Amino acid sequence: MDKILIINNFLDYYQASSWLKTTLVFIAFLFAILILRFLILKILKSKEDRNVIQNEVAIPFLNWLTTYGILLFILIYFSNFDWMRKKFASIGNVEITVFLIIIAVLIISFANRTSKVITKYLLPRVYDRYQLDRGVQFTFNRMFHYSIMAIAFIVSISTVGIDLSALTVFAGVVGVGIGFGLQNIASNFISGIILLFERPIKVGDRVIVDDIIGDIERINMRATVIRSINNEHIIVPNSYFLEEHVVNRSYSDPKMRLTIPIGVAYGTDVEKVRLMLLQVASDEAKESETMILDPEPFVNFVGFGESSLDFELFVWISNPNAVLTTQSNINFRIYRILADHQIEIPFPQRDLHIKSFDGDTIKINK
């Protein structure tokens, strides 16, 4: 009897309480949509090709549907409630409510998601068709994303009823703030736009910044991300590339020259050394994909060092990313061919003269 009485009391309270009905319906909907998401994921995991489907298409799309489904349900189901329409701020003559904020968030987030889908799945097909390089692709992607987000922002502001002219005062205040406190951020933002259009550097380029060699990974709104050859990520402000000296090994022509120094002992046949070094360059070109013979390799007789005859082997490669690999391979070949021909690679020597107390002089070679 007690249980029946409790149930009857709950039903009476439920019928008399509108907020309880609303809360229970919302919880039921939320529970149902989460259960549905869980079941779909279980079905996807049962497939053999689940890795491709989950990572590339299914899970992001499922998360997108879940999030927007909940937001739309909140917007529609609670649209007539007082707390949705209650003003908590105002801009000009427009009253800001939770309802208007949800609409603005939906528009901006939907535009952001749409932009990412287009740049990830649709635009690459266009790039492949016209054979655009990686840097051009990145520039188009960023400008497309910025344009979509700017349009979404304007549409969301207009949808909630805010007159853009009412924001002129706010824009003036922001302009003053940029002129004083945000000058550095504004400079880097404008520099980023210049980098995307003028393209002194682009994604994929190999650059040298403060004696650090790395590849351009991303050009963001404020800073550029460089991944060094040691797999370290360096964050460089965009203005740096317009104000400082930067070496771009991939700019215009990716070909670059390598200089390999070598010293041999005095008395060595220098013509024989020259022919052997050219042979090393020829052998490496046959096995390397990046080593090229046009321009031709050249042996430079630098001069007469303190303990060796100094030479330099000049070779060219087509990919600046292969500098270390090619240089190391050539050094191995040079050492091997000099050892096979019994040509000495000297090391620095010094003669020390030590004078004893009895006047004798001891000579020590070091």
Side-chain angles (χ1 to χ4, degrees):
M1 292 295 294
D2 293 338
K3 293 182 179 179
I4 296 175
L5 181 61
I6 292 174
I7 294 175
N8 290 332
N9 291 335
F10 177 78
L11 292 176
D12 293 339
Y13 182 74
Y14 174 77
Q15 293 175 356
S17 178
S18 60
W19 68 267
L20 181 59
K21 296 179 182 179
T22 304
T23 303
L24 291 178
V25 171
F26 175 72
I27 293 175
F29 173 81
L30 186 62
F31 183 76
I33 197 170
L34 292 178
I35 290 295
L36 181 61
R37 178 182 181 275
F38 175 77
L39 293 176
I40 295 176
L41 285 178
K42 292 290 289 185
I43 295 174
L44 292 176
K45 289 181 179 180
S46 64
K47 295 184 177 182
E48 295 181 355
D49 55 347
R50 62 181 183 275
N51 291 332
V52 175
I53 296 178
Q54 284 180 240
N55 296 333
E56 296 296 331
V57 179
I59 288 182
F61 184 71
L62 194 58
N63 292 335
W64 181 83
L65 284 179
T66 303
T67 303
Y68 286 96
I70 294 174
L71 288 176
L72 286 174
F73 179 80
I74 294 174
L75 190 66
I76 296 172
Y77 188 72
F78 296 99
S79 60
N80 295 325
F81 283 71
D82 294 337
W83 61 271
M84 285 286 285
R85 303 287 182 173
K86 185 177 180 180
K87 182 189 74 170
F88 63 87
S90 61
I91 299 179
N93 297 325
V94 178
E95 297 180 350
I96 304 300
T97 63
V98 176
F99 183 82
L100 296 181
I101 291 178
I102 294 178
I103 291 179
V105 170
L106 280 173
I107 294 174
I108 294 177
S109 59
F110 180 79
N112 180 60
R113 176 60 60 182
T114 302
S115 173
K116 290 182 178 180
V117 170
I118 293 176
T119 55
K120 187 175 182 179
Y121 297 106
L122 298 182
L123 290 183
R125 298 182 180 181
V126 179
Y127 300 149
D128 293 339
R129 179 178 180 180
Y130 293 98
Q131 299 180 350
L132 301 179
D133 63 65
R134 184 183 174 189
V136 175
Q137 295 178 21
F138 183 85
T139 301
F140 276 128
N141 285 343
R142 300 306 290 181
M143 298 312 301
F144 178 81
H145 178 72
Y146 293 157
S147 300
I148 291 294
M149 295 308 298
I151 294 173
F153 178 77
I154 295 174
V155 171
S156 63
I157 292 295
S158 302
T159 301
V160 299
I162 298 177
D163 187 1
L164 294 179
S165 61
L167 299 178
T168 54
V169 177
F170 175 75
V173 174
V174 173
V176 174
I178 291 176
F180 289 95
L182 305 178
Q183 182 178 4
N184 188 32
I185 297 177
S187 174
N188 288 319
F189 175 75
I190 296 174
S191 298
I193 295 176
I194 295 175
L195 292 178
L196 290 175
F197 280 101
E198 188 176 309
R199 303 179 69 213
I201 60 170
K202 59 183 183 296
V203 174
D205 283 357
R206 171 149 294 190
V207 298
I208 302 177
V209 176
D210 289 339
D211 298 326
I212 299 176
I213 303 175
D215 300 322
I216 302 293
E217 287 282 305
R218 294 190 306 275
I219 303 176
N220 296 325
M221 294 179 63
R222 190 195 65 84
T224 296
V225 180
I226 300 176
R227 181 171 59 86
S228 71
I229 57 177
N230 297 323
N231 202 33
E232 299 171 336
H233 288 79
I234 307 166
I235 312 300
V236 183
N238 290 329
S239 58
Y240 179 91
F241 295 96
L242 302 180
E243 299 172 356
E244 303 294 336
H245 177 75
V246 178
V247 177
N248 187 348
R249 287 181 169 178
S250 306
Y251 187 76
S252 181
D253 189 355
K255 293 197 303 290
M256 67 173 297
R257 189 183 73 178
L258 292 184
T259 302
I260 295 91
I262 181 66
V264 297
Y266 276 93
T268 304
D269 186 348
V270 294
E271 284 297 327
K272 184 177 181 181
V273 172
R274 185 175 72 87
L275 293 176
M276 285 191 297
L277 294 179
L278 292 177
Q279 182 63 41
V280 165
S282 178
D283 294 341
E284 179 64 20
K286 294 177 181 178
E287 299 184 7
S288 174
E289 297 180 355
T290 58
M291 175 88 174
I292 57 178
L293 297 178
D294 185 19
E296 295 182 354
F298 175 74
V299 177
N300 179 33
F301 191 164
V302 178
F304 306 92
E306 294 183 0
S307 57
S308 65
L309 300 173
D310 297 329
F311 294 85
E312 290 178 337
L313 174 61
F314 296 154
V315 297
W316 291 82
I317 58 176
S318 59
N319 184 3
N321 297 340
V323 171
L324 294 180
T325 303
T326 305
Q327 189 168 2
S328 177
N329 291 339
I330 291 177
N331 283 334
F332 274 112
R333 291 182 182 275
I334 291 176
Y335 183 84
R336 186 163 53 247
I337 196 171
L338 292 181
D340 292 342
H341 290 81
Q342 298 181 349
I343 295 178
E344 179 185 357
I345 301 177
F347 52 87
Q349 299 184 19
R350 296 290 185 272
D351 292 338
L352 300 180
H353 298 269
I354 302 177
K355 189 173 184 180
S356 62
F357 290 104
D358 57 3
D360 297 333
T361 300
I362 302 175
K363 182 178 180 182
I364 301 176
N365 292 326
K366 183 179 179 182

